[in-house]
Amino acid sequence: MARALVTGSTSGLGLEFAWQLAGTRHDLVLVARDEDRLRSIAAQIRDVHRVEVEVLAVDLSDRHRLDRVATRLTDPVDPVDLLVNNAGYGLRGGFLEIGVEDHEKQMDTLMRAVLVLSHAAARSMVQRRRGAIINVSSLAGYTAAGPYAASKSWVTVFTESLASELKGTGVSATALLPGFVQTEFHERASMNMEGLPRITWLKAPYVVEQALKDAARGVVLSIPSVKYRTAGEVSRIAPRSMMRALTSPNWYHRLQRKAVGRSRRRASRRNLHAPWQREDPPQ
């Protein structure tokens, strides 16, 4: 039976990866910071799918603890066949509004952990001549929306480079570039996304299903849905001056202004029909 290691596996896409992989009879190694939640999810998955589930309660921004996960990826007795680098989070506020220590911790999670774990997994997998790595990136990496977007740009380019280096080894590397996905990500970052149209959102099960299919086929860049593949191509070829104007860190503030304006218009329409504001009809 194959075994997959998933980071950030207690919420969002990571949790969905865990459930779908268990559903296809993968044993699991689940990695996240919250040990209680990890153990609870592991018990649920074992009960439903009858697979083996290990847990590693690790903060991937802690370099010493990250080594525990890297070591697990090189275990020759119980090897890992699929690595899903999913762990990540957003920060609320502009670059200068947030302390540099918080930026460094985020970068360690979003980039350094991906580098270290991909290196450990790929070397072990190449020796066995089989395996796959999925690095969860984002279409934000094609934008100019702050440090988070810059880190995702790095993940995409790194994965493309890794995929080229692994060609012919029996091991593949895939970068997953979703757009907006209905998960806990934005809520945890205290981001109010009410200004986004409903059509822009993707559902986590669909995103993960497409990513696993693409990884199985050796696709390097997995972009779920036609609308986001189109948006990705436009972003890649658009002048950078245009992308800076459209997707600078100010985009979130513009989104909030739209949400406020929309709420006011809805309230105004409701008030027009409120009984206490209607004029009595002429007698």
Side-chain angles (χ1 to χ4, degrees), residues 12-242:
L13 290 178
L15 181 58
E16 185 62 34
F17 269 111
W19 277 105
Q20 288 199 27
L21 288 165
T24 54
R25 308 301 299 163
H26 282 75
D27 290 330
L28 298 174
V29 183
L30 302 183
V31 181
R33 292 178 293 180
D34 188 332
E35 184 169 3
D36 290 340
R37 193 168 179 180
L38 259 180
R39 294 193 179 282
S40 174
I41 289 168
Q44 293 173 37
I45 291 175
R46 289 191 198 101
D47 288 344
V48 173
H49 292 296
R50 306 297 178 187
V51 296
E52 293 183 11
V53 185
E54 304 171 47
V55 297
L56 290 175
V58 172
D59 182 346
L60 297 179
S61 67
D62 184 318
R63 297 190 173 200
H64 297 294
R65 294 184 180 182
L66 175 63
D67 288 342
R68 287 179 55 201
V69 186
T71 299
R72 178 62 188 86
L73 286 164
T74 62
D75 187 336
V77 179
D78 294 312
V80 171
D81 304 286
L82 170 65
L83 166 64
V84 181
N85 276 312
N86 166 78
Y89 59 94
L91 296 174
R92 184 179 184 181
F95 175 64
L96 300 180
E97 298 169 351
I98 299 169
V100 70
E101 298 84 2
D102 292 329
H103 285 300
E104 289 179 316
K105 188 173 182 179
Q106 185 192 45
M107 294 299 102
D108 279 343
T109 301
L110 296 178
M111 293 191 293
R112 188 177 187 277
V114 172
L115 175 76
V116 171
L117 299 185
S118 295
H119 188 268
R123 294 187 76 172
S124 181
M125 291 173 180
V126 166
Q127 290 179 355
R128 302 193 309 274
R129 299 198 65 78
R130 73 174 187 276
I133 297 169
I134 298 176
N135 291 329
V136 178
S137 185
S138 171
L139 282 177
Y142 293 153
T143 73
Y148 178 85
S151 71
K152 291 304 184 181
S153 177
W154 181 90
V155 171
T156 299
V157 174
F158 166 72
T159 307
E160 289 182 292
S161 172
L162 178 60
S164 297
E165 188 169 342
L166 292 173
K167 199 168 184 179
T169 66
V171 183
S172 65
T174 298
L176 170 60
L177 285 73
F180 292 104
V181 185
Q182 292 174 341
T183 67
E184 300 173 23
F185 177 87
H186 300 97
E187 181 181 345
R188 288 187 167 196
S190 300
M191 298 176 71
N192 183 352
M193 308 301 290
E194 289 181 2
L196 278 179
R198 187 177 300 176
I199 195 173
T200 60
W201 292 96
L202 299 176
K203 294 186 181 299
Y206 169 76
V207 172
V208 169
E209 181 182 1
Q210 294 302 307
L212 291 174
K213 286 180 179 178
D214 284 342
R217 295 188 294 115
V219 173
V220 177
L221 296 180
S222 174
I223 305 178
S225 87
V226 173
K227 62 188 174 189
Y228 277 123
R229 284 194 290 275
T230 302
E233 286 305 310
V234 170
S235 300
R236 286 161 68 100
I237 65 176
R240 292 307 296 172
S241 58
M242 179 189 298

